[in-house]
Amino acid sequence: MDLEYLLSMDPAAILLVPVVVVVTAAVIFLHSLVLKFLSTATVRNKVVVITDALTGLGKECAKLFHEGGARVILCGKTWGKLEGFADNLTSAADPKLTFPPKLVLVDFGDMNSMPDVIAETLECYGCVDVLILNSNLKVKAPVQSTSLKMDKLVMDNNYFGPITLAKGFLPSMMSRRTGHVILVNSIQGKLAMPFRATYAASKHAVQAFFDCLRAEVQEYGISVSTVNHTFIISPPPGEKTKKSIWSIFSKQKVMGITPVEAANEILKILNSKKREVVMAHSLPKMAIYARSLFPNVFFAVMAAGVNNAAGVNNIAALADSEEL
């Protein structure tokens, strides 16, 4: 019956379906290109500070902003690696359209060095237009096995370090009545998992801080955005990300996001001024809603997962993934 129906249809109507699909894909693709162009134009000549610039996401952000003509300040713990990465950025870009990256050593494990870090960063260009806080120290262990020393180290890296930098640059942004602070946080700033108590606590704390800060600095023309993502996956060495019209329909990854996707989203945020972005598959997003709407059910599921050996293994495997 279906075959007879198809045979009876007008050939023009049959051809219309793939045409509509192709046109729709082309429109979405062109729209994404336009947004990327506008976002890139937004960062030209802007002073952009990127913390943890040697991570996968940090490097992708640095590439995007550097190629877009931003005055990039790269922050990291190892001077030699920062120099090598900066040399690669410089050699891969047109020197007439880009600025040589500035380098600043930043170790959130040494909070006593933060005043010097802030002063050195401001000396680079005299101001900061965009602050991308990409700090992430993970720990996976039961609560009773996690020392207070480890608790403090995680809080220094994931909470006190980022807020100290933000406070240090705020006076300059407020006096100029412009600026954008982007916190690259974790999905666990919204959703806590077993065996991640210290990590989740640091991510919840820093999320709350910047949610409050957003309201306080709005009158000064300063934007505050948070990006809550699931873990970041990196493609195997040598594997190139396919870029085509059809890739638009399969962009979302079931088990995570790539550094390129996250960096592009951050670039778009600078243009859209979006306050909060959750980069996650539908299942983690549903868990966030379940935590708010059906807390007792959510807690029961979490407890069942801990009591189940397979659940524990799944949690451990997920926790071991990069940038959870």
Side-chain angles (χ1 to χ4, degrees):
M1 185 68 178
D2 292 338
L3 180 60
E4 293 178 0
Y5 175 73
L6 290 175
L7 293 174
S8 65
M9 289 181 63
D10 186 349
I14 297 176
L15 291 175
L16 183 61
V17 175
V19 171
V20 170
V21 172
V22 171
V23 170
T24 302
V27 170
I28 296 174
F29 183 71
L30 290 174
H31 181 257
S32 65
L33 287 181
V34 171
L35 286 180
K36 186 173 182 180
F37 173 78
L38 292 175
S39 300
T40 303
T42 302
V43 304
R44 188 169 300 280
N45 295 320
K46 299 292 186 181
V47 178
V48 180
V49 176
I50 304 173
T51 66
D52 272 10
L54 296 175
T55 62
L57 175 54
K59 287 183 177 180
E60 291 299 332
C61 284
K63 291 176 185 176
L64 273 181
F65 289 107
H66 178 66
E67 293 172 356
R71 303 170 190 262
V72 178
I73 302 175
L74 306 178
C75 303
K77 296 180 181 180
T78 309
W79 186 261
K81 291 182 179 180
L82 281 174
E83 282 188 319
F85 179 50
D87 289 341
N88 291 338
L89 286 180
T90 302
S91 60
D94 187 345
K96 296 179 181 179
L97 302 175
T98 58
F99 298 91
K102 302 282 188 178
L103 310 179
V104 177
L105 280 176
V106 177
D107 182 3
F108 287 143
D110 179 15
M111 290 301 297
N112 293 328
S113 66
M114 289 301 105
D116 292 334
V117 166
I118 293 168
E120 183 180 351
T121 304
L122 289 173
E123 285 176 1
C124 291
Y125 292 106
C127 67
V128 171
D129 294 305
V130 179
L131 173 60
I132 301 176
L133 296 165
N134 174 44
S135 178
N136 192 57
L137 179 63
K138 298 175 292 183
V139 60
K140 180 194 69 178
V143 170
Q144 68 272 20
S145 301
T146 307
S147 66
L148 287 176
K149 182 178 180 180
M150 178 57 70
D151 290 335
K152 185 179 184 306
L153 181 61
V154 172
M155 290 299 292
D156 282 347
N157 278 270
N158 296 350
Y159 175 72
F160 287 110
I163 73 168
T164 300
L165 281 191
K167 287 183 176 184
F169 299 137
L170 272 180
S172 172
M173 291 183 175
M174 292 170 73
S175 64
R176 298 171 63 237
R177 303 190 74 82
T178 184
H180 200 147
V181 180
I182 299 179
L183 171 69
V184 181
N185 206 19
S186 165
I187 193 73
Q188 291 204 45
K190 298 277 187 182
L191 186 71
M193 287 176 56
F195 307 115
R196 285 295 207 175
T198 297
Y199 179 76
S202 68
K203 294 300 182 178
H204 272 68
V206 76
Q207 179 78 30
F209 179 92
F210 284 97
D211 283 349
C212 294
L213 179 65
R214 180 185 298 113
E216 293 183 21
V217 300
Q218 183 174 338
E219 63 177 302
Y220 296 97
I222 300 172
S223 299
V224 176
S225 304
T226 58
V227 180
N228 297 85
H229 60 73
T230 51
F231 65 87
I232 291 181
I233 55 176
S234 300
E239 181 178 322
K240 295 183 179 180
T241 303
K242 295 181 180 180
K243 294 182 178 180
S244 68
I245 290 178
W246 303 107
S247 66
I248 297 296
F249 293 103
S250 59
K251 185 177 180 181
Q252 192 176 35
K253 303 293 186 297
V254 174
M255 293 300 293
I257 60 173
T258 66
V260 173
E261 288 172 331
N264 281 323
E265 188 64 36
I266 290 171
L267 185 62
K268 292 177 184 176
I269 288 173
L270 287 178
N271 187 56
S272 67
K273 307 294 184 183
K274 198 168 184 178
R275 295 177 176 87
E276 183 175 87
V277 174
V278 177
M279 298 190 71
H281 189 56
S282 56
L283 187 58
K285 287 183 178 180
M286 288 173 60
I288 293 175
Y289 294 129
R291 168 63 179 83
S292 299
L293 300 175
F294 310 103
N296 290 335
V297 174
F298 176 82
F299 297 147
V301 171
M302 288 294 100
V306 172
N307 293 329
N308 181 277
V312 173
N313 291 334
N314 289 337
I315 291 172
L318 188 63
D320 285 336
S321 302
E322 182 185 1
E323 298 286 353
L324 179 62

